[in-house]
Amino acid sequence: MSTDNIIHFVQSPHYDEMCCSRAKVNILRQMISEYQSFLGLQRLEWTEQNVVGKFVATKQYDNKNHRLYELLDSHGVLPKAVLIKWSRLNESEQHSLQECRLASKPYLRFTPKRIDQGQSEEGLSSYKNELANYEIYGLLNEWKQQKWLYSKLFDQWNALRITTLKGMLQTKQTTLSLSVGKLSVIIPDPCVDPNAVFHWGGTELLQRCGKIDMEQVKLLAAKGFFSMTQVQKHLKVLDVRTKYILLTLTSEHNMMEGMIQQSNRYSWMNRLSKEGWEV
């Protein structure tokens, strides 16, 4: 198995440059968000720079909501809307359901040796001080440049990780020590077939070990098993978090197009389900 390319990447300046550009992108995004927050604007578009910034609120729901579990169970779709991690089961349950594990997707992690961490932090602090003299358009142009650099290097890095991972899995190699760090094959905690769990332990086990997948709930609602109005009556919001998103207008347009297509797909599925009931 050849790992020359990824070894070259991490031992050359490319990996450190990627990490540095990522840190700079985060610093620039924070400074631009502070500028926009001061103006009190939820969304701000810089047309000439082809950049838009916006504050987005994300609701965190209670995925252990028993009333929502009851709603899903009463419509016979609870196993279709629940995710169950293998580690959530006790030893006896794991023994009985070991053939029902669903393979998780492994990934490759690089753990670098942080010998010059202090020097790196000092460089970023100096960079942040330099940015303090920039006007907003200078920050936006710098963000675009650093974002482009980071994306370019990250795409290279990700392609190398995928190729190296395949080779290490084929040779059953789990770690690779380098002079600048270590590559490790990480296999996440697998899930378990929720239908098998339901047949073995019933609703009680699904409620105790499962986590409701809201995307699946939306899909089931689109298929006509119940309405989202019914779901929303039982949703419990635990927290509302606001994050700042900075992206190009082109990227925002593509995201909106994707959301519209998904909404149309759900509407189409809902219409088909109603026609099926009428038949």
Side-chain angles (χ1 to χ4, degrees), residues 160-214:
L160 289 171
R161 283 198 306 171
I162 292 172
T163 302
T164 305
L165 175 63
K166 289 180 180 178
M168 293 181 70
L169 289 173
Q170 288 174 354
T171 58
K172 297 182 180 180
Q173 188 175 8
T174 57
T175 60
L176 180 62
S177 296
L178 310 174
S179 61
V180 292
K182 182 175 70 173
L183 292 167
S184 306
V185 175
I186 306 299
I187 301 178
D189 183 26
C191 288
V192 192
D193 181 358
N195 286 302
V197 174
F198 178 71
H199 289 307
W200 189 82
T203 302
E204 188 277 331
L205 185 56
L206 287 179
Q207 289 189 3
R208 178 168 59 82
C209 299
K211 177 181 178 181
I212 293 176
D213 184 345
M214 287 305 301

Side-chain angles (χ1 to χ4, degrees), residues 205-232:
L205 185 56
L206 287 179
Q207 289 189 3
R208 178 168 59 82
C209 299
K211 177 181 178 181
I212 293 176
D213 184 345
M214 287 305 301
E215 289 304 313
Q216 285 299 314
V217 171
K218 293 176 184 178
L219 184 60
L220 290 167
K223 290 181 177 180
F225 287 97
F226 42 77
S227 69
M228 280 305 296
T229 301
Q230 291 175 282
V231 173
Q232 289 165 357

